[in-house]
Amino acid sequence: MPVKMVTPGATIGILGGGQLGRMIALAAAQLGYRCHVFANESDSPAEQVCGAATIAEFYDREALERFAATVDVATFEFENIPAEAVHWVSALRPVLPQPEILEIAQDRLREKDFLQSIDVDTTAYRKISDQASLVRAMRDFGYPAVLKTARMGYDGKGQITITPRTKAEEAWRGMGGEIGILESFVDFACEISVIVARNGNGAWAAYPAVENKHVAHILDTTIAPARIGAETAMRAEAIARHVAEQLDLVGLLAVEMFVTEGGKLLVNEIAPRPHNSGHWTIDACVTSQFEQLVRAVCGLPLGSVEHHSDAMMKNLLGSDVARWRDALDDPLAKLHLYGKTEIQPGRKMGHVTHLIRHR
Ligand code: AMP
C-alpha cells in the first residue's frame, strides 16, 4: 500500500495514552516529530511526554475529528479502541496500521478465521454463541480447554480455564453471556513472539523470535532471543512475515505463538502495534520497535533489526515497581518507568531490560 512520506516536524497522532503510546512518542521525538495523543484519561503515560493531548471519550466523534485535523498521520497503541473511533479519524487522515487490520485483531474469532484462511496453524477452536454450543464444544474438546471472550480480552481478561468440574452454565455466565471461543489447551514447550515491521513499499524486517513467560496470563519475562533451534526460529519469522504480507500491513505486527513439544508452531494471537515482548529492542537493537513503527507509518525506510546484545526483559507489575531502585544496581540494566501513579495488582508500571553483551 503506497504511503505518503510524512517528514520530521510533522505531527503523529497516537490513539491511546498507555505506555506503548509513551514509548512511540519518545521514539518519534528523537526523529524530530511531534506527537498528539488522544486518551480517555488525563495525565496518562503518553500525555506526560507528548506536546499535545486531547482528553475525551473514544465515542466523542467531534473530539476525534478535531484531533484528526491537527495530525498528519495517526496510529494506535491499544487494541480495544472502538473501531468506529479509528474509522472517524481515518476518514480525515491516514491511520496506520490500517483500521481493517485492527478490526481483525480485536475479535479472536475473526483473527483465528483469518489465520486459518491463510494456512497458518492455530489451536483448535470453536465459536461459542450460547450455552448449548458451549456444552457441545466442551464435550468435543475434552479437558482442559480455554474459554475466551471474542472481544475486549487481553492479559488473560475474559478467560476461563475449563476443567471437568466446570459447569457450562457458570462459565457462560462468567463470560457475561458474550460471544466467545473455546480453544483446546496447548501443553506448550514454550511461548514465543515475533515482531515484524513492514512499510508502504512492501519492505519488511522481523526481530528475532523471543521467548515469553507469563504469570497469571500476564507477560512477566521476555528472553531475547528465544532459546529455540535456528530452524524453528526461521519458521516463526516466516509465519510472521506471511501474516504481515497477507494483511498488506503498514506498521508493526506482533505474532504470538505456542511452540509445542513436537516443534509445531501455533499462532495464538496477533497485535498490530508495538508489543510488550518487543520492549527489549529499545536497549538491545539498532532500531527499536517504536522507532520502526514511526518509520513505517511515516513512509521512511525501515531500520536494522540487528541486536548488539541479548537481553532479558522483566516487567514491573503492580507493587514490583517499589523495587525499581534494585534494578540500578546492575549497570547493564535499563530501567523504564511509565509514570503511572496508581498501583493495581498486575498493572504494567514499568520494565527492566538486562543486557547480556555479545563478546
Ligand atoms: P491470550 O489472552 O490469548 O494472549 O492468553 C494469555 C496467555 O494465556 C497466553 O500467553 C498463554 O500463556 C495462556 N493461554 C491462552 N490460551 C491458551 C491455550 N489455548 N492453551 C494454553 N495456554 C493458553
Side-chain angles (χ1 to χ4, degrees):
M1 195 189 92
V3 170
K4 198 170 137 261
M5 183 154 64
V6 173
T7 51
T11 300
I12 301 171
I14 303 171
L15 290 160
Q19 63 272 12
L20 300 177
R22 179 183 181 95
M23 291 183 271
I24 295 169
L26 292 171
Q30 205 177 336
L31 287 172
Y33 292 97
R34 296 164 191 277
C35 285
H36 182 162
V37 63
F38 189 107
N40 60 0
E41 274 177 13
S42 59
D43 196 34
S44 63
E47 185 188 347
Q48 292 170 14
V49 302
C50 279
T54 298
I55 314 300
E57 295 301 330
F58 285 108
Y59 51 78
D60 184 340
R61 186 171 182 164
E62 258 178 52
L64 282 157
E65 288 176 348
R66 262 186 276 119
F67 160 81
T70 68
V71 306
D72 297 283
V73 61
T75 191
F76 44 84
E77 62 99 48
F78 181 54
E79 236 134 287
N80 292 324
I81 291 180
E84 298 93 305
V86 180
H87 283 295
W88 290 331
V89 175
S90 75
L92 299 170
R93 292 291 185 273
V95 176
L96 295 168
Q98 302 90 314
E100 302 73 41
I101 300 178
L102 177 67
E103 283 185 274
I104 292 172
Q106 279 181 334
D107 186 317
R108 289 186 196 275
L109 197 59
R110 280 190 68 182
E111 181 178 73
K112 286 215 162 48
D113 287 347
F114 167 74
L115 291 167
Q116 294 275 328
S117 76
I118 60 164
D119 293 325
V120 168
D121 291 334
T122 66
T123 51
Y125 67 99
R126 180 88 57 86
K127 178 179 179 180
I128 304 297
S129 46
D130 53 26
Q131 196 178 311
S133 55
L134 176 59
V135 171
R136 276 196 303 275
M138 282 168 64
R139 209 173 37 220
D140 294 348
F141 277 47
Y143 306 100
V146 188
L147 179 64
K148 302 178 177 178
T149 51
R151 301 182 67 84
M152 304 303 277
Y154 64 97
D155 286 348
K157 291 189 177 76
Q159 251 187 62
I160 299 170
T161 303
I162 304 283
T163 69
R165 286 184 303 282
T166 309
K167 302 225 172 355
E169 192 197 339
E170 276 170 30
W172 174 246
R173 250 193 293 119
M175 288 230 313
E178 281 193 35
I179 293 193
I181 63 171
L182 189 73
E183 285 179 17
S184 56
F185 184 84
V186 182
D187 194 11
F188 48 76
C190 68
E191 289 188 81
I192 61 169
S193 54
V194 174
I195 295 174
V196 59
R198 194 163 173 274
N199 72 11
N201 299 329
W204 66 279
Y207 291 94
V210 298
E211 191 174 331
N212 298 319
K213 303 212 172 293
H214 293 81
V215 175
H217 299 282
I218 302 175
L219 182 67
D220 183 76
T221 307
T222 293
I223 297 163
R227 295 165 298 180
I228 53 176
E231 190 269 335
T232 310
M234 271 166 58
R235 268 191 294 133
E237 184 182 297
I239 290 171
R241 177 185 177 186
H242 176 61
V243 177
E245 285 183 339
Q246 292 300 309
L247 289 167
D248 194 20
L249 172 87
V250 177
L252 215 58
L253 182 81
V255 182
E256 293 181 45
M257 305 175 215
F258 298 131
V259 184
T260 68
E261 289 292 355
K264 261 186 102 174
L265 295 173
L266 303 174
V267 172
N268 177 39
E269 222 175 12
I270 59 173
R273 54 165 171 78
H275 194 258
N276 196 166
S277 68
H279 290 358
W280 71 286
T281 62
I282 301 174
D283 300 306
C285 292
V286 174
T287 314
S288 76
Q289 62 166 345
F290 300 99
E291 178 178 340
Q292 203 72 291
L293 172 68
V294 171
R295 286 171 176 245
V297 305
C298 291
L300 304 180
L302 298 178
S304 164
V305 289
E306 208 178 308
H307 62 294
H308 48 71
S309 304
D310 290 352
M312 199 217 19
M313 190 282 314
K314 181 106 183 60
N315 269 338
L316 297 173
L317 300 172
S319 55
D320 290 352
V321 71
R323 294 201 305 270
W324 64 270
R325 170 66 190 77
D326 296 351
L328 301 181
D329 288 336
D330 171 5
L332 284 181
K334 303 291 286 182
L335 174 67
H336 299 255
L337 296 174
Y338 305 150
K340 297 181 184 178
T341 44
E342 196 186 320
I343 298 176
Q344 286 162 14
R347 189 171 194 210
K348 292 174 179 169
M349 306 297 291
H351 72 267
V352 182
T353 300
H354 296 273
L355 295 176
I356 304 149
R357 299 285 281 276
H358 292 171
R359 293 186 189 277

